[in-house]
Amino acid sequence: MISRSGRGRYQLGGGKIYQPEMPARVLKISKFLRKQFPLINYCVWDTGLLNEFAQHLSSYHFILVDVERDVAESAYYRLKEEFSGVFLQPSESLLNNVLPDFRLPLVIRNLTTESALGERDNLPVITIEKMLVDVYCDLEFLFLAGGELRAIYQNAYYKYTINENRLMRYADRKGRKFVLKK
């Protein structure tokens, strides 16, 4: 059997699409954002999803809320009224020193335009391509350097069908296409 893995690219075997598990808190936040800001693009995901691919399991999780740049501050204040431990684009020192003190903190970030997003139950969900590029490019994942990052990529490619065109297009939107390709 041959399955499609991108435009003009195919692989042997049946393709397996990544369907992330949505914890209750992530669903609650996603539904809250859909109700408060019905016209924006956003994505909510838990970093605990990385444990499926990582070599070493992490007990420290946080929830990433990627929203359009224009409404990031508004979303921050609305989420802060409803939930505890909400941070707007925290610095590296804040990520390392303050966030671990909270249980499932929310990190509000800017959503890159044309992000690789999926949909389930009329709510936006992260795709494997977005997750892999974010883990490689973003400040929040500096702790996943070296062998751990390689293990995440190897396990993701082994378990699921990765659309490399989508992955590279999203990496290009983040300005890291050539470094990631290397």
Side-chain angles (χ1 to χ4, degrees), residues 45-158:
W45 64 287
D46 184 350
T47 58
L49 294 174
L50 293 172
N51 281 343
E52 179 180 354
F53 309 109
Q55 203 170 15
H56 302 96
L57 299 181
S58 172
S59 62
Y60 173 62
H61 304 263
F62 49 93
I63 295 175
L64 293 168
V65 181
D66 297 336
V67 296
E68 291 178 4
R69 182 181 312 270
D70 298 339
V71 295
E73 200 168 317
S74 299
Y76 165 71
Y77 287 114
R78 289 296 296 135
L79 286 167
K80 195 171 181 177
E81 290 172 6
E82 195 72 21
F83 302 95
S84 63
V86 181
F87 298 90
L88 178 63
Q89 299 171 357
S91 65
E92 184 180 354
S93 64
L94 193 66
L95 282 167
N96 294 331
N97 300 324
V98 178
L99 259 63
D101 295 337
F102 289 88
R103 187 177 170 276
L104 273 177
L106 274 68
V107 176
I108 313 292
R109 310 181 311 165
N110 292 333
L111 180 69
T112 305
T113 55
E114 299 177 35
S115 290
L117 299 177
E119 189 174 307
R120 188 168 65 198
D121 299 330
N122 210 19
L123 293 172
V125 294
I126 191 165
T127 59
I128 190 79
E129 294 86 5
K130 178 177 176 11
M131 183 187 298
L132 290 174
V133 172
D134 284 355
V135 164
Y136 184 78
C137 297
D138 293 346
L139 179 69
E140 291 85 7
F141 301 103
L142 285 178
F143 65 95
L144 294 174
E148 192 68 53
L149 188 61
R150 276 191 300 279
I152 288 171
Y153 269 79
Q154 287 171 346
N155 291 332
Y157 270 86
Y158 179 75

Side-chain angles (χ1 to χ4, degrees), residues 32-50:
F32 178 80
L33 284 173
R34 175 62 69 210
K35 185 177 178 186
Q36 297 296 318
F37 304 97
L39 301 176
I40 69 164
N41 291 321
Y42 68 93
C43 180
V44 181
W45 64 287
D46 184 350
T47 58
L49 294 174
L50 293 172

